[in-house]
Amino acid sequence: MSFIRPEARAALWRWREVLLGAAVVLLGLYWASGFGLLRWLGVAVVVAGLALLMAGVQRGRFRVGQGGLGLVQVDERQITYFAPKGGGVVALEDLFCVLLDGSATPAVWVLHHPGRAELRIPVTAEGADALFDAFAVLPGLRTEHMLAQLRQKPHHPVVIWSKPGVSLH
């Protein structure tokens, strides 16, 4: 038996890094109010907590829901999507384009890689939040652009990232 409503639990889980970052900042502020070495350690903990808090805000914005079709796993720079229909595997090194198609319900990530059909992953698929870290290593990816498009839910496919020097047409 749980004393927390499922909606509240889901919200807390979505923003877990933000909550952890806030707790670290508070601990650092408490230590920084001390004297000597503890004060300097507290300042360092505050800085680390702020970094965790900022990263948590981005991750929380990336998580748009759960309960979608399929399962996503990211392991050793390889994205695997298991689904009843349309699953697949793509290595990050092979990607040449990442799109967000907001016209689908729910919206889907469309991953293009040479020689194979595109891989379509619902943003609400189980484990889709792991794509944030996978996409973050793509050279030149604009994280704020990606998060803004995810929030706006465009009615057409939008290019989130493309490999430098590769034409999309």
Side-chain angles (χ1 to χ4, degrees):
M1 180 163 113
S2 177
F3 294 104
I4 300 176
R5 290 190 337 247
E7 302 85 21
R9 186 178 323 128
L12 289 171
W13 188 249
R14 177 180 181 186
W15 297 102
R16 61 190 176 266
E17 288 97 350
V18 172
L19 297 172
L20 180 63
V24 170
V25 167
L26 290 175
L27 177 66
L29 288 172
Y30 177 71
W31 286 354
S33 66
F35 296 100
L37 184 59
L38 187 60
R39 169 176 273 168
W40 294 109
L41 182 63
V43 169
V45 170
V46 166
V47 171
L50 289 173
L52 181 61
L53 195 121
M54 290 181 354
V57 168
Q58 287 185 328
R59 288 174 184 273
R61 290 172 54 200
F62 187 80
R63 295 182 188 113
V64 293
Q66 295 179 342
L69 189 63
L71 171 71
V72 177
Q73 289 182 341
V74 178
D75 187 29
E76 296 188 15
R77 299 183 57 86
Q78 179 173 292
I79 299 170
T80 305
Y81 175 57
F82 301 100
K85 294 170 81 174
V89 177
V90 62
L92 287 173
E93 288 78 20
D94 294 341
L95 273 179
F96 66 85
C97 182
V98 175
L99 302 171
L100 177 64
D101 186 357
S103 64
T105 304
V108 295
W109 296 108
V110 183
L111 310 180
H112 291 275
H113 46 117
R116 296 192 215 152
E118 62 189 22
L119 181 58
R120 301 177 64 83
I121 303 173
V123 297
T124 58
E126 185 71 29
D129 56 337
L131 294 174
F132 182 83
D133 292 326
F135 293 161
V137 302
L138 298 172
L141 176 85
R142 295 180 4 237
T143 305
E144 280 303 316
H145 170 69
M146 174 178 67
L147 296 172
Q149 293 302 321
L150 194 57
R151 183 183 66 242
Q152 292 172 1
K153 297 180 183 139
H155 297 292
H156 54 83
V158 174
V159 176
I160 299 299
W161 174 85
S162 64
K163 188 175 268 188
V166 174
S167 174
L168 300 178
H169 301 282

